[in-house]
């Protein structure tokens, strides 16, 4: 069966946002073009790495002779998006793998998201012998200014979780925290 590709070449909006309270949040990569809306669930760590790698790509492009792609150093103010996720947030799939690249022909950052594949131990041997195509995937292409804004917002969303304990660095829950390092003092 061919892979169903959810393609967004010039999205109206692409953001990472969350549903839930800190400590119990679900992260979503959400993209909209016109009336089309697609949300995929992500891990917090996937979101953080995605933002970091997008900034790395953009920073590398900036140092090219004369910055031919007009990569902004900061988020253009007109592209700042602090709005909540569009509703309804219907999870298309849970993201297992992400791909990230640069398309020089269109001067766009490209994100690919593939569904998480869960394999039973019994099926593991069979999986090693066959290469399976994903049932579906998400491909998003965005210009450099949008990519810079996306990365900034994603870092802010990731950082808006529970505060970290200054002694041990683990998150502090609203109902308190038992710090393993504090016992040493």
């Amino acid at each position: 069966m061919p892979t169903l590709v959810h393609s967004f070449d010039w999205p109206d909006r692409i953001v990472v946002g969350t549903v839930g309270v800190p400590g119990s949040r679900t992260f979503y990569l959400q993209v909209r073009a016109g009336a089309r809306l697609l949300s995929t669930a992500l891990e917090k760590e996937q979101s953080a790495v995605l933002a970091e790698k997008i900034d790395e790509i953009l920073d590398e492009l900036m140092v090219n002779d004369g910055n031919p792609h007009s990569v902004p150093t900061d988020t253009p103010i007109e592209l700042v998006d602090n709005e909540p996720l569009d509703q309804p947030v219907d999870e298309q799939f849970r993201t297992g793998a992400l791909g990230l690249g640069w398309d020089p022909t269109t001067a766009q950052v490209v994100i690919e998201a593939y569904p998480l594949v869960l394999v039973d131990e019994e099926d593991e041997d069979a999986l090693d012998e066959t290469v399976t195509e994903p049932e579906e995937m998400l491909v998003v292409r965005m210009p450099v200014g949008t990519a810079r804004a996306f990365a900034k917002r994603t870092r802010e969303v990731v950082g808006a979780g529970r505060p970290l304990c200054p002694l041990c660095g683990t998150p502090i829950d609203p109902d308190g925290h038992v710090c393993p390092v504090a016992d040493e003092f």
Side-chain angles (χ1 to χ4, degrees), residues 15-93:
V15 294
V16 166
T18 61
V19 172
V21 296
S24 298
R25 298 185 296 172
T26 301
F27 285 74
Y28 291 96
L29 170 62
Q30 189 177 75
V31 59
R32 177 177 34 88
R36 284 181 61 214
L37 178 66
L38 189 134
S39 302
T40 65
L42 302 166
E43 294 296 324
K44 179 179 180 179
E45 292 78 16
Q46 287 174 309
S47 304
V49 170
L50 184 59
E52 176 186 329
K53 296 300 179 186
I54 287 173
D55 274 338
E56 284 179 15
I57 287 172
L58 295 174
D59 291 346
E60 191 174 303
L61 289 167
M62 283 180 52
V63 298
N64 287 345
D65 289 333
N67 191 5
H69 303 293
S70 301
V71 178
T73 55
D74 295 316
T75 300
I77 192 72
E78 66 275 10
L79 297 177
V80 171
D81 182 347
N82 293 320
E83 296 301 313
L85 293 171
D86 290 335
Q87 298 297 319
V89 179
D90 293 327
E91 182 179 312
Q92 183 71 32
F93 59 83

Side-chain angles (χ1 to χ4, degrees), residues 114-184:
Y114 300 90
L116 178 65
V117 177
L118 299 175
V119 179
D120 293 333
E121 288 181 30
E122 298 168 2
D123 297 335
E124 221 172 278
D125 293 332
L127 186 64
D128 289 340
E129 296 173 11
T130 61
V131 176
T132 59
E133 292 290 322
E135 292 180 18
E136 63 184 323
M137 66 181 286
L138 169 64
V139 178
V140 182
R141 298 170 171 276
M142 60 183 147
V144 293
T146 301
R148 189 65 88 185
F150 173 84
K152 179 180 187 294
R153 175 192 166 113
T154 300
R155 284 191 313 277
E156 291 170 355
V157 168
V158 168
R162 297 172 287 173
L164 299 179
C165 173
L167 298 176
C168 69
T170 58
I172 301 172
D173 291 321
D175 57 344
H177 167 68
V178 178
C179 179
V181 178
D183 294 338
E184 298 174 9

